[in-house]
Amino acid sequence: MYYSHYGLKDNPFDLAPNGSYVYMSETHKEGLATLRYGVIANKGFLLLTGGVGVGKTTILNALLRMVESQVIVYLLNNPTLTKKEFYYYLASKAGVPYNNNKSKFILHFNEYLALCRKKEEKVLLVIDEAQAFSIDLLEEIRLLSNLAGESNVLSIFLVGQPEIREQLATSQLLPLRQRIGIRYHLEPLSNEDTKHYIHYRLQRGGASKTSIFTEEAVATIHKASQGNPRLINILCDHAMLSGFAKDLEVISKELVVECIDEIRLPGEATLQTSELVRTQRKVNPLAHFMIALVIMSVIIVLGIMVPSETSNLISGAN
């Protein structure tokens, strides 16, 4: 691979989760601090939203590491569960019996929460991919939170794509929406954050220099990926592989544009800037001036010739 070519010890843009490569932008840090406060301060329901690949899992994992000594965490990331399967999962995690009898489960789970309250323990139920959960199951989760009472020993953390906000806007989920005490929307990386992100990943990968990508290349990557860390990883990895194949020491904007066209699937809208970038590269101000000059010359010539030709036609008619 390209590791030795660029002085790397590891793949800095691997898509597989790696705790040592986690980059926290200011947006990520703010979101993490806000959500941690929500857990510690017993805010009940928490909501984290963001597009695919912007770093929701990064924040979730960081939050769980920060509070693992303070709360008992149950992570649910399978939105296809039925109500019975949901209660079975929760019963298994809490160590309480469930024999397809919801009433008995509620009694046992209520006793479990009372014991946690007595031991000054907190329970955090994390619902990942919340936008894919049915309204009925989300309503069951809300009703479950009633068991915590005023002590708020049970907190529920909803993590999902922006569509979950549209679901919460429906009248069926109004009671749940009114329960959400802390909410945070994770924005994509800015151009400056993208630069720091790429340099940080290269550094963690063991690069002796982090100026492998030119400023123009970084700006192009940011524009094409729209600040999405996952897409940034894909583009950077592909660009470094192409640079290695061409024996290049530095990744230029032109090479990044080529990579955008190579990896973009038909109809894909996310990486949509390559045509614009290519046009900007090929047409410079001098070219604009020359084109304008030619057009003006043609107009002047036509303006002289047309009256003469019209006069001849009139003479011939007479």
Side-chain angles (χ1 to χ4, degrees):
M1 297 294 287
Y2 57 73
Y3 305 159
S4 59
H5 181 74
Y6 291 106
L8 296 164
K9 299 177 182 177
D10 197 3
N11 184 355
F13 300 107
D14 192 1
L15 292 179
N18 188 333
S20 63
Y21 279 80
V22 172
Y23 172 80
M24 300 291 285
S25 68
E26 291 303 315
T27 301
H28 287 79
K29 292 177 182 177
E30 181 182 350
L32 179 59
T34 302
L35 295 167
R36 182 175 182 272
Y37 164 75
V39 173
I40 302 302
N42 299 323
K43 292 297 182 179
F45 274 89
L46 309 135
L47 174 65
L48 172 65
T49 57
V52 176
V54 298
K56 297 188 299 298
T57 302
T58 297
I59 285 189
L60 174 58
N61 291 336
L63 176 65
L64 297 184
R65 285 194 300 270
M66 293 176 70
V67 302
E68 62 182 353
S69 62
Q70 301 166 288
V71 300
I72 302 169
V73 177
Y74 301 144
L75 174 61
L76 181 61
N77 54 12
N78 188 343
T80 63
L81 295 180
T82 64
K83 292 180 184 180
K84 288 184 177 181
E85 289 171 335
F86 166 70
Y87 284 115
Y88 178 81
Y89 167 84
L90 201 55
S92 299
K93 285 292 185 179
V96 301
Y98 174 64
N99 299 312
N100 292 329
N101 189 315
K102 179 179 174 181
S103 298
K104 287 185 177 180
F105 166 79
I106 290 176
L107 289 173
H108 289 303
F109 193 69
N110 198 28
E111 291 174 357
Y112 167 74
L113 292 180
L115 180 61
C116 289
R117 188 180 306 115
K118 185 177 180 180
K119 296 165 62 176
E120 297 184 348
E121 294 177 339
K122 296 180 181 180
V123 178
L124 176 63
L125 175 60
V126 181
I127 309 297
D128 199 7
E129 300 296 340
Q131 80 285 344
F133 281 71
S134 67
I135 290 179
D136 287 344
L137 192 50
L138 288 174
E139 180 63 9
E140 290 291 328
I141 293 170
R142 181 190 69 83
L143 293 173
L144 189 67
S145 68
N146 292 336
L147 300 179
E150 296 180 358
S151 64
N152 283 331
V153 67
L154 174 65
S155 293
I156 298 175
F157 184 13
L158 303 176
V159 183
Q161 296 174 27
E163 296 92 301
I164 185 61
R165 295 187 294 183
E166 298 176 8
Q167 289 177 262
L168 291 171
T170 61
S171 57
Q172 300 101 310
L173 292 179
L174 176 61
L176 173 57
R177 184 169 75 250
Q178 292 178 340
R179 292 281 189 91
I180 299 175
I182 295 288
R183 61 187 70 196
Y184 192 85
H185 181 70
L186 192 60
E187 298 289 348
L189 300 179
S190 65
N191 185 63
E192 191 65 19
D193 279 332
T194 299
K195 177 181 177 180
H196 292 319
Y197 176 83
I198 292 174
H199 287 186
Y200 175 81
R201 301 282 295 208
L202 288 171
Q203 187 179 46
R204 298 299 296 176
S208 55
K209 62 176 183 177
T210 57
S211 56
I212 296 174
F213 291 82
T214 67
E215 294 284 341
E216 293 79 9
V218 172
T220 304
I221 290 170
H222 170 72
K223 193 169 186 178
S225 66
Q226 298 177 25
N228 186 299
R230 188 176 299 169
L231 293 178
I232 293 172
N233 282 359
I234 293 173
L235 272 174
C236 287
D237 182 66
H238 195 83
M240 295 187 77
L241 185 60
S242 297
F244 164 68
K246 296 182 179 182
D247 197 27
L248 299 175
E249 296 295 328
V250 176
I251 307 298
S252 66
K253 179 181 74 172
E254 288 74 18
L255 182 61
V256 171
V257 170
E258 291 179 13
C259 293
I260 293 172
D261 285 334
E262 289 173 2
I263 66 178
R264 184 176 52 182
L265 296 174
E268 188 173 21
T270 306
L271 299 174
Q272 57 186 355
T273 58
S274 59
E275 291 297 329
L276 174 61
V277 174
R278 186 187 299 107
T279 302
Q280 291 174 339
R281 186 179 75 237
K282 288 185 176 180
V283 182
N284 55 40
L286 179 59
H288 281 298
F289 174 76
M290 294 300 296
I291 293 171
L293 185 61
V294 170
I295 293 174
M296 290 178 64
S297 300
V298 171
I299 292 173
I300 291 173
V301 171
L302 289 176
I304 295 173
M305 292 180 60
V306 169
S308 176
E309 291 173 359
T310 304
S311 177
N312 291 338
L313 288 173
I314 295 173
S315 298
N318 291 335

